[in-house]
C-alpha cells in the first residue's frame, strides 16, 4: 500500500511497440503529461481508507510492494494501434508482448496507461484462479483507484457460462465496474451460447465412409446491461471501492457508501479478475490501482 504519488517514469524508447507506436513529438507530449500530473498531484491527496480493515479474512491481497512477485502473478494485455493482440510481459512463441509502457509499479502503486492511438483499453489480469470456495460463500472485492484527467479505470470479474448447451462453455465476464470523473458504471457483456443452427448443406442420406458430419454453427449473443451511479470523482484523489457478490446480486460501495445494487443475468463461477485503463483518445489515459483484496462475505468486515 502506498499513498505517495511518484512521477511517471520515462517511456521506453526501446520497447517493442511496433512502428505505429512511435511518438511523433513524443518529448513534448511526455513533458506536457508530466507537467500536468505534477501540477495535479502537487498537494497532499485525499487518502481513501484502505480495504485491509474491511477484509481481515482475505484469501488474496495485492499491494504491489513486490515488483518481482507482481510480474509473476499478473499478465498484461491489449491491442496495439494496428489491431495486433499483445499479451504478457515477455513474448510468447508466435505472440506479441504487451507494451512496456502500459503497466508499471512505482512506489508501491500500479499505474496503467492507455495511448490515444489504441482503440482497446490497456488491461492486466491475475493469472491464478480465485478459490472455488468463493462460489459458495460469496465474495467481496476491495480496491483503491485514482484517476488522471480523462481516464477511466475498470475492474473486471471473469467467469464462465455454460449458455444454452450444457456441454459447451465460453469464457465470460461476470461483471465490470468502470470508474470515471462522472461516476461509476456497472456493466457486462455476457456472451451467451445460442441453440445450434443446422448446416445449410447436409448429405441427403447420411455421411459416406471417410466423410465428416458437418458441425452445427456456434453462435453467441451479447447480453449487455448497465447501472450507473453519477457522482463527481476528482482527478488525483484516491477513492475506495468494494463489490460484493452474493448469488446473482452485486452490491457496489463507494468510500463506504452503498451506491449500486444489480441482479446479474446468470450466476457464474468467480474465476479471476482483471484491471483496465482507458483514455479519452485525445491524451494519454492514466490511472492508479492499489490495495486489492478478495475475501469471502462471511469474513468481510
Amino acid at each position: 500500500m502506498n499513498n505517495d504519488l511518484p512521477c511517471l517514469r520515462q517511456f521506453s524508447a526501446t520497447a517493442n511497440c511496433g512502428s505505429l507506436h512511435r511518438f511523433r513529438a513524443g518529448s513534448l507530449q511526455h513533458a506536457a503529461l508530466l507537467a500536468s500530473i505534477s501540477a495535479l498531484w502537487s498537494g497532499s491527496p485525499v487518502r481513501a481508507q484502505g480495504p485491509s480493515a474491511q477484509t481481515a479474512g482475505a484469501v488474496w491481497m495485492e499491494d504491489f510492494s513486490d515488483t518481482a512477485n507482481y510480474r509473476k502473478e499478473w499478465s498484461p494485455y491489449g491491442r496495439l494501434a494496428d489491431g495486433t493482440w499483445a499479451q504478457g510481459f515477455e513474448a510468447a512463441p508466435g505472440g506479441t508482448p504487451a507494451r512496456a509502457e502500459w503497466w508499471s509499479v512505482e512506489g508501491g502503486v500500479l499505474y496503467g496507461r492507455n495511448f490515444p492511438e489504441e482503440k482497446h483499453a490497456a488491461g492486466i489480469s491475475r493469472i491464478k484462479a480465485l478459490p472455488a470456495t468463493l462460489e459458495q460463500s460469496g465474495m467481496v472485492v476491495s480496491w483503491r483507484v485514482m484517476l488522471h484527467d480523462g481516464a477511466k479505470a475498470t475492474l473486471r470479474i471473469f467467469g464462465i457460462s455454460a449458455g444454452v448447451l450444457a456441454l459447451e462453455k465460453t469464457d465470460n465476464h461476470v461483471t465490470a465496474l468502470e470508474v470515471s470523473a462522472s461516476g461509476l458504471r456497472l456493466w457486462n457483456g455476457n456472451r451467451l451460447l445460442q441453440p445450434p443452427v443446422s448446416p445449410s448443406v447436409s448429405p441427403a442420406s447420411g455421411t459416406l465412409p471417410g466423410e465428416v458430419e458437418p458441425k452445427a454453427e456456434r453462435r453467441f449473443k451479447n447480453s449487455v446491461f448497465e447501472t450507473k451511479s453519477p457522482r463527481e470523482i476528482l482527478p488525483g484523489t484516491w477513492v475506495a471501492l468494494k463489490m460484493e457478490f452474493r448469488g446473482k446480486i452485486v452490491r457496489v460501495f463507494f468510500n463506504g457508501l452503498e451506491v449500486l445494487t444489480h441482479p446479474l443475468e446468470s450466476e457464474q463461477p468467480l474465476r479471476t479478475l482483471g484491471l483496465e485503463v482507458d483514455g479519452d483518445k485525445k491524451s494519454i489515459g492514466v490511472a492508479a490501482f492499489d490495495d486489492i483484496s478478495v475475501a469471502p462475505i462471511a469474513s468481510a468486515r
Side-chain angles (χ1 to χ4, degrees):
M1 179 176 68
N2 191 293
N3 294 293
D4 297 326
L5 299 172
C7 294
L8 296 176
R9 68 179 181 182
Q10 293 291 328
F11 298 129
S12 171
T14 60
N16 183 11
C17 304
S19 59
L20 291 176
H21 286 86
R22 298 290 183 264
F23 280 87
R24 298 167 176 82
S27 58
L28 292 177
Q29 186 176 11
H30 181 52
L33 177 65
L34 288 176
S36 65
I37 293 178
S38 176
L40 178 65
W41 293 343
S42 58
S44 298
V46 177
R47 187 190 185 285
Q49 180 182 358
S52 57
Q54 301 172 347
T55 54
V59 296
W60 173 72
M61 298 184 70
E62 174 65 89
D63 62 4
F64 301 106
S65 59
D66 186 338
T67 303
N69 187 62
Y70 142 77
R71 291 179 64 92
K72 295 178 182 178
E73 293 200 356
W74 295 83
S75 177
Y77 64 86
R79 289 194 183 277
L80 305 181
D82 63 359
T84 300
W85 179 254
Q87 186 170 12
F89 289 106
E90 307 294 339
T96 301
R99 288 188 67 172
E101 298 93 339
W102 281 344
W103 296 96
S104 63
V105 172
E106 303 165 27
V109 173
L110 176 66
Y111 287 88
R113 305 175 182 89
N114 174 259
F115 296 87
E117 66 271 25
E118 297 164 349
K119 296 181 180 180
H120 193 284
I124 191 166
S125 59
R126 183 174 183 259
I127 298 172
K128 189 176 179 180
L130 296 170
T133 54
L134 294 173
E135 296 175 27
Q136 288 75 43
S137 65
M139 178 176 77
V140 176
V141 182
S142 303
W143 72 104
R144 296 194 300 147
V145 66
M146 180 177 59
L147 304 174
H148 177 56
D149 286 327
K152 293 182 288 187
T154 300
L155 184 141
R156 295 182 183 274
I157 301 297
F158 295 97
I160 192 164
S161 174
V164 177
L165 304 183
L167 298 180
E168 302 218 40
K169 297 182 179 180
T170 176
D171 289 337
N172 220 340
H173 297 154
V174 175
T175 192
L177 184 67
E178 177 188 277
V179 184
S180 67
S182 60
L184 310 179
R185 177 175 174 244
L186 184 72
W187 69 280
N188 192 8
N190 278 325
R191 299 180 68 238
L192 302 178
L193 193 61
Q194 301 300 292
V197 177
S198 299
S200 57
V201 179
S202 60
S205 58
T207 57
L208 298 176
E211 290 185 340
V212 177
E213 179 74 24
K215 291 185 178 181
E217 180 184 355
R218 284 166 53 91
R219 296 191 308 161
F220 295 90
K221 178 182 178 182
N222 290 332
S223 175
V224 178
F225 69 76
E226 66 175 27
T227 304
K228 296 181 180 180
S229 176
R231 58 195 58 249
E232 183 181 13
I233 298 178
L234 299 177
T237 300
W238 285 104
V239 296
L241 297 165
K242 182 170 72 172
M243 277 199 294
E244 179 183 288
F245 296 82
R246 191 188 297 270
K248 294 183 180 181
I249 304 300
V250 179
R251 301 167 65 202
V252 176
F253 298 81
F254 175 84
N255 285 342
L257 177 67
E258 184 173 352
V259 295
L260 287 174
T261 301
H262 192 97
L264 301 176
E265 183 171 326
S266 62
E267 189 172 350
Q268 300 180 48
L270 304 171
R271 294 173 67 91
T272 190
L273 60 82
L275 311 173
E276 288 190 356
V277 173
D278 210 346
D280 57 10
K281 306 309 177 185
K282 299 177 182 178
S283 59
I284 301 175
V286 182
F289 297 87
D290 202 1
D291 297 322
I292 305 173
S293 68
V294 175
I297 287 179
S299 299
R301 296 290 185 267

